[in-house]
Amino acid sequence: MAGGAGSLEQTPTWAVATVCFVFIVISIFIEQIIHMIGHWLKKKRKRALYESLEKIKAELMLLGFISLLLTAGTTPITKICISKGAAASWHPCSRSEEGTTEENGVESRRRLLTLSKMGEAARRILAGSSGEEKCEREGKVSFMSYDGVHQLHILIFALALFHVIYSVATIGLGQAKMRRWKHWENETRTIEYQFSHDPERFRFARDTSFGRRHMKYWSKSPVLLWIVCFFRQFVRSVPKVDYLTLRHGFIMAHLSPQSQSRFDFQKYIKRSLEEDFKTVVGISPPIWLFTVAFLLFNTHGWFSYLWLPFIPLVIVLLTGTKLQVIITKMGLSIMERGEVVQGVPVVQPGDDLFWFNRPRLILHLVNFVLFQNAFQVAFFAWTWYEFGLDSCFHDHTEDIVISITTG
């Protein structure tokens, strides 16, 4: 038998050693990169980001442990036998599409190649170890085939890869967006800013820059308020007037008025983002449950591609709208305290402005959306790699468009 065509008994030792060596080198290289990033974060005193890195490492370890359990449990899983009727239900493809996929798909080509290269003895060993031959003798079907478990391994790898990419992109885009705030922060130390924001100056609240933006006729109607705030999140979600007003409100609530020109609000927000990032990159049990639900309902006839990808999108849009509504309501509360304000309008954030009086619920929603987007893109990449774009997973053009655009 040719080397590599059977078990390790018929495989050259140099081939086994080469494969192990390559994987060990790659693993050590990745581990050293992560260690260097952690050392750099410690050197820069980025404690929150270092803790986030540790959390990502823990999640990758969890995904690796799941993969390890799948490897150890492959034989027991394939030996579980179920009736042919149960095996014929809840398929992601219709019967006709399954036939086409079996003839033309990547999976079919892999099996034909395996059968042509394997000897009869090796084929029997593989079938026996996977339990498929055992179930065949009983007139049943294996709970999951050996190839199915292997494909699940590839999905876990894709999920880990895209979760890391989305996590890095999230913190990167967040910090890039805040970079423009640095200019606004520097402006608060100028003489022109202190003159235009004279604390002894009296004005009507609706005549201030913040009032002209938020105290409009639509802000008094709950329906119009949500409609306007929905569209505002797409254009200048954090304008200069909102940033400066929130900065002033924070200083008045937590610091002395003399700190106006010394306190760096942008740096404080940046540190807060790094702290919140620990929550955003986590994978909680409810998120895992939704992931399992995504796999379950991705079955033929449920048209999941028309509604499942939109759940994270709807959450993102609702969250963005809610944050805009909160800022507008803080502006309305200024009017409730009086028509005339002295100096810069003072906003008063409170837990009562958030859903269920829980501000951190926003973070958990962002966390949910981040992971689900990563999972959907990983699922798309996995089905493309394993079955090709002409498979039943991508039978509808709108499925491909929706998966990419929402992700």
Side-chain angles (χ1 to χ4, degrees), residues 189-208:
R189 296 173 175 81
T190 62
I191 301 298
E192 292 80 2
Y193 176 84
Q194 295 174 17
F195 176 77
S196 60
H197 296 78
D198 185 4
E200 302 300 326
R201 182 182 175 188
F202 288 90
R203 290 178 294 175
F204 286 106
R206 60 178 174 271
D207 291 336
T208 62

Side-chain angles (χ1 to χ4, degrees), residues 326-350:
I326 289 173
I327 296 177
T328 302
K329 284 186 174 180
M330 286 192 292
L332 293 176
S333 65
I334 296 175
M335 288 285 293
E336 294 173 358
R337 296 196 300 269
E339 290 281 343
V340 180
V341 296
Q342 182 180 5
V344 181
V346 179
V347 293
Q348 295 179 344

Side-chain angles (χ1 to χ4, degrees), residues 48-60 62-63 163-172 273-284 287-288 360 363-364 366-371 374:
L49 286 181
Y50 177 77
E51 292 177 2
S52 300
L53 178 65
E54 292 295 315
K55 179 167 283 191
I56 292 176
K57 286 169 59 179
E59 290 158 3
L60 292 178
L62 174 62
L63 290 170
H163 178 59
V164 172
I165 292 174
Y166 263 75
S167 298
V168 173
T170 299
I171 190 69
L273 172 67
E274 294 172 357
E275 288 286 345
D276 294 339
F277 188 61
K278 293 185 295 184
T279 302
V280 170
V281 298
I283 306 178
S284 60
I287 292 179
W288 282 116
R360 292 191 66 82
L363 283 179
H364 293 300
V366 174
N367 174 27
F368 172 80
V369 170
L370 174 69
F371 184 79

